[in-house]
Amino acid sequence: MINYPTIDPVAISLGPLQVHWYGLMYVVGFVAAWWLGCRRASRLGLNNDDIGDLLFYCAIGVVAGGRLGYALFYGLGQWSADILWIFRVWDGGMSFHGGLLGVLLAAWIFARRKKLAFLTLTDFIAPLVPIGLGAGRIGNFINHELPGRLTSLPWGMPFPGMGPEPRHPSALYEALLEGAVLFAILWWVSAKPTARGFLSGLFLVCYGVFRFMVEFVRLPDAHIGFIAFDWVTMGMLLTLPMIALGLIIIAWSRSQPVDVQMPSTNG
């Protein structure tokens, strides 16, 4: 058994001003996405300023959509009890599925502005996302969120406030799979031009499969529990449509032309 590391969720405290690690993880994700996006901006005929605008749109979408999605899917009771709770983003509580919908709306608006095909833009965005996802899960871990189920594996950890029994570090599993592994897959596949929609579908399928797998060792939210059969969780329920949609998009992409991208030496 490994001891759960003691890390203060507040990274910097200057009087009344507190900067939380959870918030810093979002900064890491956006900075990484901006840097990677600038390396490939010429593929869509964009410049660094355009990438900055795109990230600004997506930042609003992921924060607003992620928080609203969490409130609707997981924290409706908490929101009803404290109407201002939804604005305290630094306390944690973000839904990937809500954030995804927010990003897709932001991408649709940006694509219309730049006269780009929507799936061409989402194919461009897909490889930029995983680093932020991985960083966010590390933020969950520091915030003592997403406890795992009991385990006898040697890397099990006693979760703060939940007794001495070792549990799966499920947030770290997600950081590895949704962050490092997903990034490696998408960045490698996107090194060469692909059929329109393929990367978007691949992102949905891979994320969905990884999330579905981790749900088997992640403890469901106490106020929700299992949705059905004593093993189906809300995360699984929300992830299955992602996998199905991803497979449909991949199949559809086989009839689409390969997006002609401008040459880039920074690939």
Side-chain angles (χ1 to χ4, degrees):
M1 186 173 68
I2 301 175
N3 289 327
Y4 203 99
T6 302
I7 304 174
D8 189 340
V10 178
I12 304 170
S13 183
L14 299 173
L17 176 64
Q18 293 185 333
V19 180
H20 291 242
W21 283 109
Y22 189 79
L24 288 178
M25 292 300 105
Y26 275 81
V27 175
V28 169
F30 289 129
V31 170
W34 176 83
W35 182 70
L36 293 171
C38 287
R39 294 186 66 189
R40 290 183 168 181
S42 61
R43 292 184 169 199
L44 296 184
L46 303 177
N47 56 41
N48 290 1
D49 289 339
D50 293 327
I51 299 300
D53 291 343
L54 173 61
L55 265 293
F56 176 74
Y57 282 32
C58 290
I60 295 175
V62 73
V63 173
R67 191 60 167 171
L68 184 59
Y70 183 86
L72 295 176
F73 299 146
Y74 300 98
L76 198 55
Q78 194 171 0
W79 190 14
S80 300
D82 180 6
I83 196 69
L84 297 179
W85 161 81
I86 196 170
F87 298 107
R88 294 195 288 273
V89 179
W90 53 86
D91 288 338
M94 298 285 284
S95 164
F96 166 80
H97 300 89
L100 176 62
L101 293 175
V103 168
L104 290 177
L105 177 59
W108 179 76
I109 295 172
F110 185 86
R112 289 197 54 160
R113 276 194 57 200
K114 294 296 181 180
K115 296 181 172 54
L116 294 169
F118 175 67
L119 285 177
T120 295
L121 182 61
T122 56
D123 284 347
F124 176 82
I125 293 173
L128 314 183
V129 174
I131 291 180
L133 293 179
R137 293 312 184 192
I138 293 174
N140 290 138
F141 184 75
I142 294 173
N143 258 10
H144 303 162
E145 298 171 334
L146 312 184
R149 304 185 197 184
L150 297 177
T151 180
S152 59
L153 293 172
W155 56 81
M157 300 178 182
F159 198 85
M162 299 188 68
E165 299 85 5
R167 296 179 177 275
H168 287 281
S170 55
L172 296 184
Y173 295 168
E174 293 193 64
L176 175 64
L177 292 173
E178 300 168 11
V181 176
L182 185 57
F183 172 75
I185 292 171
L186 293 176
W187 195 256
W188 177 69
V189 173
S190 63
K192 296 181 180 179
T194 57
R196 181 176 299 168
F198 180 78
L199 284 171
S200 300
L202 184 62
F203 173 89
L204 293 174
V205 171
C206 288
Y207 177 89
V209 170
F210 293 155
R211 176 64 182 271
F212 196 91
M213 289 167 53
V214 175
E215 286 291 318
F216 283 105
V217 297
R218 175 173 157 178
L219 201 65
D221 294 71
H223 61 290
I224 297 178
F226 294 107
I227 302 299
F229 310 119
D230 290 329
W231 63 271
V232 178
T233 67
M234 177 63 78
M236 291 178 178
L237 194 64
L238 295 173
T239 297
L240 285 175
M242 284 184 61
I243 298 173
L245 179 60
L247 291 173
I248 291 171
I249 293 175
I250 289 174
W252 173 83
S253 73
R254 297 183 64 180
S255 64
Q256 298 302 303
V258 172
D259 269 325
V260 177
Q261 299 172 325
M262 299 177 66
S264 170
T265 58
N266 297 318

